[in-house]
Amino acid sequence: MTEAVHDSRDHVRPEQKEATMKIGIIGAGNIGGNLTRRLTALGHDVSVANSRGPETLTALAEETGATPVLASEAARGADVVVVTVPLKNVPDLPAGLFDGAAEGFAVVDTGNYYPRERDGRIAAIEDEGLTESRWTERQIGHPVVKAFNGTFAQDILERPRPAGAPDRLALPVAGDDAAAKEKVRLLIDELGFDTVDSGGVDDSWRQQPGTPVYGLREGVDAVTKALAEASAERPKDFRG
């Protein structure tokens, strides 16, 4: 487990931004719903799924223009797939979840482990010391980029700012696949937020619940500092 935190202050230049993408969102709760709203508004082709079926997403689809689909269909043709479901439900996601995704697609994991309030005790996280996102990778069979897990859902709608704005928020982003991480960071920049590279998935404990950066509404400097000050020991309130 490396101790390095990679401070990235090189703001994304406009010519680096991704073109319109096909994005699948699995989970239509607060984070998933607001990402659907923002990403469709930016012109991306968004498919959204939940555990209850596409017929329950009619209102969100009418509001945003997103396409409601089954979870098993959300990744078809997708350049980016966002998995934003309760951790306890990750093992129940359908087999072949990413069948038909675009070549080089990235998976965003927004999840958090709440053993006391929601998820129950997960031995691999508690006893083996897996980070939450490493555990998720093992369940879904694909590398992930951890992002948005400590972000207030309403901020996705209300706190976007142009690059260089003094009050622009920064989000930590962890992942092992450099190309996938860059794709996600570019998308977050387009959404109106800076990013700080918090390392690989094994370093993503730095942004799990109970760490200094979790829920922090600050810019690059403060987020970088908070990541560096994190402890690898899981806080008592977040143990099962």
Side-chain angles (χ1 to χ4, degrees), residues 93-128:
L93 290 170
L97 188 63
F98 305 116
D99 290 353
E103 185 176 355
F105 73 102
V107 177
V108 180
D109 167 34
T110 77
N112 292 306
Y113 174 47
Y114 301 121
R116 300 186 183 191
E117 296 88 350
R118 185 189 66 194
D119 298 315
R121 191 177 192 279
I122 297 176
I125 293 174
E126 303 254 11
D127 301 334
E128 297 175 34

Side-chain angles (χ1 to χ4, degrees), residues 34-53:
N34 284 352
L35 283 174
T36 298
R37 292 177 175 94
R38 288 296 322 287
L39 291 167
T40 51
L42 288 167
H44 295 291
D45 178 3
V46 177
S47 295
V48 61
N50 65 7
S51 60
R52 296 176 296 146

